[in-house]
Amino acid sequence: MSDLLYNRLLLNFINVKNRLESLLNLYCINEYRLDIKELQISIGFVSNLIDKVQYELQLTDNLKPFSNHSLCNNNWTWKKIQQLDMKEQCLNLEFLALLRLQTLATCFDEFDEQKFLKQTTNFNINRQYHLNKMMKFIDETKSTIACDHMHINKSSSSSSSFIPQYDLNKNLLDLPQEILLRIFSFICPCELISNIAPTCRLFANLILTCFYSHLDLSPLISIYDVPRLFNHLSCLQSIRFIDWKDNISILTWSIWFDILSRKTSNLKKIHFQNIFISPILICLLIEYFPHCLETLIFDYQQNNNYYRNFDLILCLLGDKNIKLKNLTASYQLGITNFGILQLVKNLNTLVELNLVNINTINDQSIKVLCDKHNVYLEILRIDGAQLTDKALDYIAQCHRLRKIMIEFCINMTGSNFSIFQNFPKLEELYLSALNNISSESFQLLFNKNYTFKYLQCLKLDEYHMIDDNCIRLIVQSCPHLIDLTCSLAYNVTDEGFNEIVIRCNQLQYLTLTGCNQIYGEILFDVPEKYLKSIKYLNFDKCNQIEDFILIDLFQRTKFILIIDSYGSLIKL
C-alpha cells in the first residue's frame, strides 16, 4: 500500500513539474524576469523531491538504512508514510477535543455575524466576547434527552394504552442510524461537535461522516494527526487552512490532498488564511481536485513576504481542465494585468471574481472577462483605479450579475450609470470613493422610471455630493433595502434622514458615517413606529446627534447595536 501512495505522489509531482515548465515557456516569451526566477526555483525544488522519492522506491525494505530519514522539513519519513495506508477502525476522540474551542469560536462568529453584524466593516467586537457569549448560549439551549420511567409507570390504565411500552434493555444507541441522523439534524453544529460527538464512538463516527461538511484546520493539531482526521470526513465540502505559515512542506500538502481526494469527492471550497502560497501548492490543487473544486479564497496575508508574485498563481489557475468558478484574491501582491488576462481567458466558467485593491485591472481586462463569461458572471468585486466609463459598458453585457462592487473609480464620470438598470436581479451594489462623479450621475441611476426590485444592499462610500434629493430618489427606487451605507455625505440633512427612516420599512442595517448635518430627533419613534426591523445603526462622526437620543433608543430596545458619534458601541 505504501508503494501505491508513493507512486501516486511521484506521478503528481511529475505532472506539477510539467505544468511549471509549460508556464515557464510562456513567461520567457513575455519576458517576466522576476517570475521566471521564481518558476526556476520551484521547478528545481520539485525535481529534487522527485529524485528523493524515486531513490526511496528503488530500495527494497531490507536495504533501507534510512527508513526514518526525513524526506522534507516536516520530518515525513518512509515509515510514517507506510503507516498512513493502514486503515484504522477506531477514531481517536482527542481530535474532537482539539477542535472543540476552535469550532465553537467559528460557529459563533458565523451565528453572530449573520444575526447582528452583517456588513459592519467599521465595527469589531473582541473575539473573547464572542466566545464567552457563545458558551452562555450553549448552556442556555443545551438539549437533553431523557425518559421519565416513574411517570410512565404511574400513568393511569386509561391513558397507558396510548403510551408505547418502554424496553429497559433498549437505549438511544439501539435506534437505527436513519433515526439518529434525523435527531441530529435538529441540533446546531456547534452542539453536535462539542457535546454530542464526544459522547461515544458511534455518535462521533456518525457526526463526522454524515454532518461535518466544513473544517477549520489550524496548527492546533499536529501535522501527523491531520491525515487520520481526514480519513473520517467523507462528507467534507469546504476546508479552511489557518495560520500554518511555513510549517507545511510540499510533501505534506501532497499527502493531505491525496487522502482528501480519495476520501471525498464533495470538496468544493478551499480557503487559505495567512498561509504561504507557492506555485507548487497551486499545481497540486489542480492535480488532485480538477473536477470538484469550485471555490478558492486567498485571504489577506499578514506577512507581505508570503508571496509577492501572485501573478503566477492566477496564471496557473487559468486552466481549462479545472472547474473553478469562484475566486477571491483581494489584497494580494504582485498581480499584474498579464496574470488577470491569463486567468479570465483560460477558465471555462467564472461565476464570482473578487479582486479588490488590485490596481492593475484596466478596461482591457474587463472586456476580456465580460466577453468570455458574460453568460455566467454573477458576482464581481474589483478595484476601479484604472477603470473608465468604457469598463461599465463592458460590464453591462453580464445580465446575470447579482452583486457588484467597484472601488476608487477616480477615472469614471458616471455618465453611463444607467447601465446598472440592465441587471434585473441586482441584490448588492457597492460604489466607493466616487470622487469625480456628479449628483446628476446618481439621478440617472436612481430615477422614478425604474425600480430595483431585488436590491437589498446599497453602499455609497465617500461620496460628498449626495444630498437630500439623491436620498429621496434612492428610497423611491429601492423599496426593499435591508442594508444602506451612505458615508461622508455632508449635504444630507434631517430631511433626507427622515425619508430613510419613514420609507425604508425593511431596513436592518444603516450606516451614516460622517453625515454631520443630521440631528436625528425622529429616532424617538424608532422602532415603535419606524424601522421596526432595525438591528444596527452607525452614527460615527455624526456630531449633531445628541448622546441622550441614542442612549434613550438603546434603553428602549436593547437588541439594537448602536455606534455613537465617537465610534463607540453604546452599552448599559
Side-chain angles (χ1 to χ4, degrees):
M1 293 294 291
S2 58
D3 284 348
L4 290 176
L5 174 60
Y6 255 81
N7 284 325
R8 289 196 302 269
L9 297 178
L10 183 60
L11 177 62
N12 283 304
F13 284 138
I14 292 174
N15 292 337
V16 166
K17 181 180 178 182
N18 294 335
R19 194 179 300 273
L20 292 173
E21 288 175 342
S22 298
L23 184 59
L24 178 61
N25 293 333
L26 176 64
Y27 267 56
C28 287
I29 295 174
N30 291 275
E31 298 183 353
Y32 280 74
R33 298 300 180 188
L34 292 177
D35 291 342
I36 287 175
K37 183 178 180 180
E38 180 74 23
L39 281 172
Q40 289 173 338
I41 294 173
S42 299
I43 291 171
F45 181 86
V46 175
S47 300
N48 187 37
L49 190 55
I50 290 173
D51 292 340
K52 287 184 178 181
V53 175
Q54 287 176 333
Y55 175 74
E56 291 280 352
L57 280 172
Q58 290 171 0
L59 298 177
T60 63
D61 290 337
N62 295 331
L63 296 177
K64 288 185 186 297
F66 305 110
S67 60
N68 291 320
H69 174 66
S70 174
L71 290 175
C72 63
N73 59 3
N74 285 140
N75 297 321
W76 281 110
T77 65
W78 177 271
K79 184 176 180 180
K80 282 187 171 66
I81 292 179
Q82 280 182 320
Q83 294 172 351
L84 287 179
D85 277 333
M86 298 178 182
K87 295 183 178 180
E88 300 182 23
Q89 300 300 323
C90 61
L91 172 64
N92 186 351
L93 295 183
E94 291 179 1
F95 296 143
L96 288 176
L98 290 171
L99 285 170
R100 178 174 178 178
L101 290 178
Q102 180 181 345
T103 304
L104 282 174
T106 302
C107 289
F108 178 70
D109 281 345
E110 294 174 359
F111 169 82
D112 187 63
E113 287 174 2
Q114 291 173 5
K115 188 173 182 181
F116 300 110
L117 303 178
K118 183 180 179 183
Q119 309 298 343
T120 55
T121 55
N122 297 325
F123 174 64
N124 290 311
I125 294 180
N126 186 273
R127 189 175 184 84
Q128 187 60 40
Y129 167 75
H130 281 184
L131 185 57
N132 293 339
K133 191 170 181 181
M134 187 59 192
M135 296 300 293
K136 181 180 179 181
F137 170 77
I138 290 176
D139 291 338
E140 292 174 352
T141 60
K142 186 176 294 184
S143 302
T144 57
I145 301 176
C147 183
D148 191 346
H149 307 290
M150 297 302 296
H151 176 74
I152 293 177
N153 293 334
K154 292 180 179 180
S155 298
S156 62
S157 58
S158 60
S159 61
S160 62
S161 59
F162 297 99
I163 300 176
Q165 293 295 320
Y166 180 72
D167 189 347
L168 295 177
N169 296 320
K170 297 287 185 180
N171 58 42
L172 190 63
L173 299 179
D174 295 317
L175 291 175
Q177 287 191 5
E178 292 78 10
I179 295 180
L180 288 174
L181 293 176
R182 179 63 177 168
I183 294 173
F184 292 158
S185 68
F186 293 98
I187 304 174
C188 68
C190 55
E191 185 82 2
L192 278 175
I193 296 299
S194 62
N195 292 337
I196 308 301
T199 305
C200 65
R201 201 171 305 281
L202 173 63
F203 284 6
N205 286 322
L206 276 177
I207 291 170
L208 287 178
T209 56
C210 300
F211 277 90
Y212 212 114
S213 60
H214 173 75
L215 176 65
D216 284 338
L217 197 63
S218 74
L220 187 67
I221 301 176
S222 166
I223 60 171
Y224 305 115
D225 292 334
V226 172
R228 223 184 317 171
L229 179 63
F230 282 168
N231 275 320
H232 294 277
L233 300 178
S234 58
C235 295
L236 191 63
Q237 295 183 13
S238 70
I239 184 169
R240 181 169 60 161
F241 296 97
I242 309 170
D243 294 328
W244 281 92
K245 301 181 181 179
D246 298 335
N247 296 329
I248 308 180
S249 73
I250 293 303
L251 183 58
T252 304
W253 282 115
S254 187
I255 292 172
W256 288 2
F257 291 160
D258 182 80
I259 294 173
L260 277 175
S261 63
R262 287 184 291 115
K263 191 62 181 178
T264 177
S265 59
N266 300 319
L267 188 64
K268 297 180 179 180
K269 178 180 178 180
I270 297 182
H271 184 169
F272 295 102
Q273 180 174 323
N274 210 26
I275 299 290
F276 178 78
I277 305 297
S278 70
I280 304 175
L281 174 59
I282 299 303
C283 290
L284 288 173
L285 275 178
I286 297 173
E287 287 298 319
Y288 283 106
F289 308 107
H291 305 302
C292 62
L293 189 61
E294 296 181 356
T295 302
L296 268 176
I297 299 176
F298 301 96
D299 252 346
Y300 172 74
Q301 307 290 355
Q302 295 178 2
N303 187 340
N304 290 334
N305 294 320
Y306 271 2
Y307 200 62
R308 290 184 175 275
N309 296 330
F310 210 87
D311 224 23
L312 284 173
I313 305 302
L314 296 185
C315 292
L316 289 167
L317 291 175
D319 192 312
K320 297 178 181 179
N321 297 319
I322 63 175
K323 293 188 176 181
L324 187 65
K325 296 180 180 179
N326 311 299
L327 176 66
T328 297
S330 301
Y331 302 97
Q332 304 296 333
L333 299 176
I335 294 180
T336 69
N337 195 52
F338 176 78
I340 297 172
L341 287 174
Q342 292 299 316
L343 175 75
V344 299
K345 281 181 180 178
N346 295 321
L347 281 178
N348 291 323
T349 304
L350 197 55
V351 176
E352 177 179 358
L353 180 63
N354 301 307
L355 295 175
V356 179
N357 200 34
I358 308 299
N359 296 324
T360 56
I361 300 175
N362 57 28
D363 292 345
Q364 180 191 8
S365 305
I366 297 299
K367 184 179 187 307
V368 175
L369 169 67
C370 297
D371 287 345
K372 177 75 180 290
H373 304 283
N374 62 80
V375 179
Y376 315 105
L377 197 63
E378 297 182 10
I379 300 174
L380 179 63
R381 298 186 178 97
I382 53 175
D383 189 274
Q386 295 189 32
L387 300 182
T388 68
D389 291 332
K390 288 184 179 179
L392 293 181
D393 291 331
Y394 301 141
I395 294 173
Q397 305 175 47
C398 306
H399 297 289
R400 296 189 63 177
L401 275 172
R402 297 184 295 107
K403 301 179 182 180
I404 305 174
M405 181 173 75
I406 303 177
E407 293 188 329
F408 301 101
C409 311
I410 57 177
N411 295 320
M412 285 186 180
T413 65
S415 59
N416 57 349
F417 261 22
S418 58
I419 67 102
F420 290 110
Q421 299 174 4
N422 291 0
F423 313 120
K425 299 294 184 180
L426 189 63
E427 299 172 5
E428 295 182 8
L429 178 62
Y430 297 177
L431 300 173
S432 300
L434 311 177
N435 299 327
N436 297 322
I437 296 178
S438 64
S439 57
E440 287 77 12
S441 298
F442 276 95
Q443 292 175 7
L444 288 175
L445 174 56
F446 303 104
N447 59 66
K448 299 178 181 179
N449 299 323
Y450 186 82
T451 300
F452 290 92
K453 297 179 181 179
Y454 297 94
L455 190 64
Q456 297 182 350
C457 186
L458 176 64
K459 292 198 174 184
L460 305 174
D461 281 330
E462 300 181 33
Y463 189 67
H464 309 314
M465 298 303 294
I466 288 182
D467 54 15
D468 294 336
N469 248 355
C470 189
I471 292 293
R472 189 176 296 108
L473 290 173
I474 290 172
V475 170
Q476 292 174 357
S477 302
C478 312
H480 304 297
L481 282 178
I482 293 177
D483 189 344
L484 174 62
T485 295
C486 187
S487 66
L488 302 183
Y490 303 132
N491 295 319
V492 174
T493 67
D494 270 337
E495 183 180 346
F497 179 60
N498 293 347
E499 285 286 326
I500 296 173
V501 173
I502 295 173
R503 296 183 180 274
C504 296
N505 300 321
Q506 302 176 36
L507 202 63
Q508 298 181 22
Y509 308 92
L510 176 61
T511 298
L512 296 174
T513 304
C515 298
N516 53 16
Q517 294 193 51
I518 296 175
Y519 290 84
E521 292 182 2
I522 197 173
L523 290 173
F524 286 118
D525 293 326
V526 174
E528 290 82 5
K529 190 174 180 181
Y530 307 117
L531 297 183
K532 295 182 179 180
S533 301
I534 196 69
K535 297 179 179 179
Y536 176 79
L537 290 168
N538 189 340
F539 296 112
D540 186 20
K541 297 181 178 63
C542 296
N543 303 326
Q544 303 297 338
I545 300 179
E546 298 289 347
D547 293 344
F548 73 88
I549 297 178
L550 301 181
I551 293 173
D552 175 75
L553 174 60
F554 180 75
Q555 289 176 340
R556 286 185 287 110
T557 56
K558 297 178 182 177
F559 60 88
I560 300 179
L561 292 176
I562 304 175
I563 307 298
D564 61 20
S565 60
Y566 307 104
S568 302
L569 177 67
I570 294 180
K571 301 178 182 179
L572 285 176

PDB file of all heavy atoms in Angstrom, residues 404-421:
ATOM      1  N   ILE A 404     -22.352  43.663  -7.269  1.00  0.00           N
ATOM      2  CA  ILE A 404     -21.313  44.456  -7.939  1.00  0.00           C
ATOM      3  C   ILE A 404     -20.659  45.375  -6.916  1.00  0.00           C
ATOM      4  O   ILE A 404     -21.348  46.051  -6.139  1.00  0.00           O
ATOM      5  CB  ILE A 404     -21.900  45.315  -9.082  1.00  0.00           C
ATOM      6  CG1 ILE A 404     -22.663  44.443 -10.081  1.00  0.00           C
ATOM      7  CG2 ILE A 404     -20.794  46.089  -9.796  1.00  0.00           C
ATOM      8  CD1 ILE A 404     -23.385  45.253 -11.139  1.00  0.00           C
ATOM      9  N   MET A 405     -19.325  45.393  -6.917  1.00  0.00           N
ATOM     10  CA  MET A 405     -18.591  46.355  -6.103  1.00  0.00           C
ATOM     11  C   MET A 405     -17.450  46.922  -6.939  1.00  0.00           C
ATOM     12  O   MET A 405     -16.625  46.168  -7.471  1.00  0.00           O
ATOM     13  CB  MET A 405     -18.035  45.724  -4.832  1.00  0.00           C
ATOM     14  CG  MET A 405     -17.277  46.731  -3.968  1.00  0.00           C
ATOM     15  SD  MET A 405     -16.758  46.092  -2.357  1.00  0.00           S
ATOM     16  CE  MET A 405     -15.384  45.068  -2.859  1.00  0.00           C
ATOM     17  N   ILE A 406     -17.401  48.244  -7.066  1.00  0.00           N
ATOM     18  CA  ILE A 406     -16.310  48.916  -7.764  1.00  0.00           C
ATOM     19  C   ILE A 406     -15.801  50.024  -6.848  1.00  0.00           C
ATOM     20  O   ILE A 406     -16.561  50.918  -6.462  1.00  0.00           O
ATOM     21  CB  ILE A 406     -16.768  49.514  -9.107  1.00  0.00           C
ATOM     22  CG1 ILE A 406     -17.374  48.419  -9.993  1.00  0.00           C
ATOM     23  CG2 ILE A 406     -15.606  50.183  -9.814  1.00  0.00           C
ATOM     24  CD1 ILE A 406     -17.913  48.931 -11.305  1.00  0.00           C
ATOM     25  N   GLU A 407     -14.518  49.964  -6.493  1.00  0.00           N
ATOM     26  CA  GLU A 407     -13.939  50.922  -5.556  1.00  0.00           C
ATOM     27  C   GLU A 407     -12.975  51.869  -6.272  1.00  0.00           C
ATOM     28  O   GLU A 407     -12.366  51.514  -7.278  1.00  0.00           O
ATOM     29  CB  GLU A 407     -13.190  50.187  -4.432  1.00  0.00           C
ATOM     30  CG  GLU A 407     -14.089  49.391  -3.513  1.00  0.00           C
ATOM     31  CD  GLU A 407     -13.326  48.858  -2.314  1.00  0.00           C
ATOM     32  OE1 GLU A 407     -12.122  48.578  -2.443  1.00  0.00           O
ATOM     33  OE2 GLU A 407     -13.947  48.731  -1.255  1.00  0.00           O
ATOM     34  N   PHE A 408     -12.832  53.075  -5.717  1.00  0.00           N
ATOM     35  CA  PHE A 408     -11.846  54.065  -6.164  1.00  0.00           C
ATOM     36  C   PHE A 408     -11.959  54.345  -7.664  1.00  0.00           C
ATOM     37  O   PHE A 408     -10.989  54.230  -8.406  1.00  0.00           O
ATOM     38  CB  PHE A 408     -10.429  53.601  -5.805  1.00  0.00           C
ATOM     39  CG  PHE A 408     -10.233  53.385  -4.342  1.00  0.00           C
ATOM     40  CD1 PHE A 408     -10.251  52.103  -3.800  1.00  0.00           C
ATOM     41  CD2 PHE A 408     -10.073  54.456  -3.479  1.00  0.00           C
ATOM     42  CE1 PHE A 408     -10.094  51.892  -2.445  1.00  0.00           C
ATOM     43  CE2 PHE A 408      -9.918  54.256  -2.116  1.00  0.00           C
ATOM     44  CZ  PHE A 408      -9.926  52.973  -1.596  1.00  0.00           C
ATOM     45  N   CYS A 409     -13.148  54.707  -8.085  1.00  0.00           N
ATOM     46  CA  CYS A 409     -13.394  54.977  -9.506  1.00  0.00           C
ATOM     47  C   CYS A 409     -12.990  56.418  -9.847  1.00  0.00           C
ATOM     48  O   CYS A 409     -13.840  57.254 -10.201  1.00  0.00           O
ATOM     49  CB  CYS A 409     -14.860  54.755  -9.836  1.00  0.00           C
ATOM     50  SG  CYS A 409     -15.517  53.205  -9.238  1.00  0.00           S
ATOM     51  N   ILE A 410     -11.722  56.714  -9.731  1.00  0.00           N
ATOM     52  CA  ILE A 410     -11.266  58.103  -9.885  1.00  0.00           C
ATOM     53  C   ILE A 410     -11.303  58.557 -11.344  1.00  0.00           C
ATOM     54  O   ILE A 410     -11.268  59.763 -11.621  1.00  0.00           O
ATOM     55  CB  ILE A 410      -9.840  58.269  -9.323  1.00  0.00           C
ATOM     56  CG1 ILE A 410      -8.869  57.307 -10.020  1.00  0.00           C
ATOM     57  CG2 ILE A 410      -9.839  58.039  -7.821  1.00  0.00           C
ATOM     58  CD1 ILE A 410      -7.444  57.468  -9.570  1.00  0.00           C
ATOM     59  N   ASN A 411     -11.364  57.624 -12.301  1.00  0.00           N
ATOM     60  CA  ASN A 411     -11.390  57.989 -13.719  1.00  0.00           C
ATOM     61  C   ASN A 411     -12.780  57.882 -14.319  1.00  0.00           C
ATOM     62  O   ASN A 411     -12.951  58.073 -15.526  1.00  0.00           O
ATOM     63  CB  ASN A 411     -10.428  57.096 -14.514  1.00  0.00           C
ATOM     64  CG  ASN A 411      -8.984  57.315 -14.121  1.00  0.00           C
ATOM     65  OD1 ASN A 411      -8.572  58.453 -13.900  1.00  0.00           O
ATOM     66  ND2 ASN A 411      -8.212  56.252 -14.029  1.00  0.00           N
ATOM     67  N   MET A 412     -13.774  57.582 -13.524  1.00  0.00           N
ATOM     68  CA  MET A 412     -15.143  57.466 -14.026  1.00  0.00           C
ATOM     69  C   MET A 412     -15.875  58.790 -13.858  1.00  0.00           C
ATOM     70  O   MET A 412     -15.731  59.474 -12.853  1.00  0.00           O
ATOM     71  CB  MET A 412     -15.898  56.366 -13.284  1.00  0.00           C
ATOM     72  CG  MET A 412     -15.513  54.953 -13.684  1.00  0.00           C
ATOM     73  SD  MET A 412     -16.585  53.726 -12.895  1.00  0.00           S
ATOM     74  CE  MET A 412     -15.865  52.215 -13.556  1.00  0.00           C
ATOM     75  N   THR A 413     -16.704  59.102 -14.848  1.00  0.00           N
ATOM     76  CA  THR A 413     -17.539  60.293 -14.763  1.00  0.00           C
ATOM     77  C   THR A 413     -18.970  59.949 -14.364  1.00  0.00           C
ATOM     78  O   THR A 413     -19.722  60.833 -13.940  1.00  0.00           O
ATOM     79  CB  THR A 413     -17.558  61.022 -16.111  1.00  0.00           C
ATOM     80  OG1 THR A 413     -18.198  60.195 -17.090  1.00  0.00           O
ATOM     81  CG2 THR A 413     -16.130  61.339 -16.567  1.00  0.00           C
ATOM     82  N   GLY A 414     -19.342  58.672 -14.541  1.00  0.00           N
ATOM     83  CA  GLY A 414     -20.695  58.249 -14.184  1.00  0.00           C
ATOM     84  C   GLY A 414     -21.739  58.620 -15.213  1.00  0.00           C
ATOM     85  O   GLY A 414     -22.943  58.525 -14.951  1.00  0.00           O
ATOM     86  N   SER A 415     -21.309  59.020 -16.399  1.00  0.00           N
ATOM     87  CA  SER A 415     -22.262  59.438 -17.432  1.00  0.00           C
ATOM     88  C   SER A 415     -23.135  58.284 -17.918  1.00  0.00           C
ATOM     89  O   SER A 415     -24.194  58.511 -18.495  1.00  0.00           O
ATOM     90  CB  SER A 415     -21.507  60.047 -18.623  1.00  0.00           C
ATOM     91  OG  SER A 415     -20.595  59.103 -19.176  1.00  0.00           O
ATOM     92  N   ASN A 416     -22.665  57.041 -17.714  1.00  0.00           N
ATOM     93  CA  ASN A 416     -23.443  55.875 -18.144  1.00  0.00           C
ATOM     94  C   ASN A 416     -23.886  55.016 -16.958  1.00  0.00           C
ATOM     95  O   ASN A 416     -23.998  53.790 -17.066  1.00  0.00           O
ATOM     96  CB  ASN A 416     -22.625  55.029 -19.131  1.00  0.00           C
ATOM     97  CG  ASN A 416     -21.283  54.586 -18.546  1.00  0.00           C
ATOM     98  OD1 ASN A 416     -20.870  55.062 -17.486  1.00  0.00           O
ATOM     99  ND2 ASN A 416     -20.608  53.685 -19.235  1.00  0.00           N
ATOM    100  N   PHE A 417     -24.117  55.634 -15.813  1.00  0.00           N
ATOM    101  CA  PHE A 417     -24.521  54.898 -14.628  1.00  0.00           C
ATOM    102  C   PHE A 417     -25.868  54.188 -14.801  1.00  0.00           C
ATOM    103  O   PHE A 417     -26.199  53.299 -14.026  1.00  0.00           O
ATOM    104  CB  PHE A 417     -24.592  55.842 -13.421  1.00  0.00           C
ATOM    105  CG  PHE A 417     -23.361  55.769 -12.559  1.00  0.00           C
ATOM    106  CD1 PHE A 417     -22.161  55.311 -13.062  1.00  0.00           C
ATOM    107  CD2 PHE A 417     -23.396  56.162 -11.232  1.00  0.00           C
ATOM    108  CE1 PHE A 417     -21.029  55.253 -12.281  1.00  0.00           C
ATOM    109  CE2 PHE A 417     -22.276  56.101 -10.428  1.00  0.00           C
ATOM    110  CZ  PHE A 417     -21.079  55.646 -10.966  1.00  0.00           C
ATOM    111  N   SER A 418     -26.618  54.577 -15.797  1.00  0.00           N
ATOM    112  CA  SER A 418     -27.915  53.925 -16.021  1.00  0.00           C
ATOM    113  C   SER A 418     -27.758  52.464 -16.420  1.00  0.00           C
ATOM    114  O   SER A 418     -28.733  51.708 -16.398  1.00  0.00           O
ATOM    115  CB  SER A 418     -28.698  54.672 -17.106  1.00  0.00           C
ATOM    116  OG  SER A 418     -27.958  54.721 -18.315  1.00  0.00           O
ATOM    117  N   ILE A 419     -26.518  52.036 -16.757  1.00  0.00           N
ATOM    118  CA  ILE A 419     -26.315  50.631 -17.156  1.00  0.00           C
ATOM    119  C   ILE A 419     -26.599  49.679 -15.995  1.00  0.00           C
ATOM    120  O   ILE A 419     -26.861  48.500 -16.207  1.00  0.00           O
ATOM    121  CB  ILE A 419     -24.889  50.387 -17.700  1.00  0.00           C
ATOM    122  CG1 ILE A 419     -23.829  50.559 -16.598  1.00  0.00           C
ATOM    123  CG2 ILE A 419     -24.589  51.273 -18.876  1.00  0.00           C
ATOM    124  CD1 ILE A 419     -23.309  49.290 -16.039  1.00  0.00           C
ATOM    125  N   PHE A 420     -26.551  50.160 -14.752  1.00  0.00           N
ATOM    126  CA  PHE A 420     -26.849  49.288 -13.623  1.00  0.00           C
ATOM    127  C   PHE A 420     -28.307  48.826 -13.630  1.00  0.00           C
ATOM    128  O   PHE A 420     -28.660  47.883 -12.938  1.00  0.00           O
ATOM    129  CB  PHE A 420     -26.533  49.998 -12.308  1.00  0.00           C
ATOM    130  CG  PHE A 420     -25.060  50.197 -12.073  1.00  0.00           C
ATOM    131  CD1 PHE A 420     -24.496  51.463 -12.119  1.00  0.00           C
ATOM    132  CD2 PHE A 420     -24.228  49.111 -11.818  1.00  0.00           C
ATOM    133  CE1 PHE A 420     -23.137  51.644 -11.904  1.00  0.00           C
ATOM    134  CE2 PHE A 420     -22.863  49.283 -11.615  1.00  0.00           C
ATOM    135  CZ  PHE A 420     -22.313  50.557 -11.664  1.00  0.00           C
ATOM    136  N   GLN A 421     -29.127  49.496 -14.418  1.00  0.00           N
ATOM    137  CA  GLN A 421     -30.509  49.062 -14.564  1.00  0.00           C
ATOM    138  C   GLN A 421     -30.641  47.879 -15.506  1.00  0.00           C
ATOM    139  O   GLN A 421     -31.732  47.324 -15.664  1.00  0.00           O
ATOM    140  CB  GLN A 421     -31.359  50.237 -15.071  1.00  0.00           C
ATOM    141  CG  GLN A 421     -31.377  51.426 -14.129  1.00  0.00           C
ATOM    142  CD  GLN A 421     -32.094  52.623 -14.713  1.00  0.00           C
ATOM    143  OE1 GLN A 421     -32.650  52.562 -15.809  1.00  0.00           O
ATOM    144  NE2 GLN A 421     -32.086  53.744 -13.984  1.00  0.00           N
TER     145      GLN A 421
END
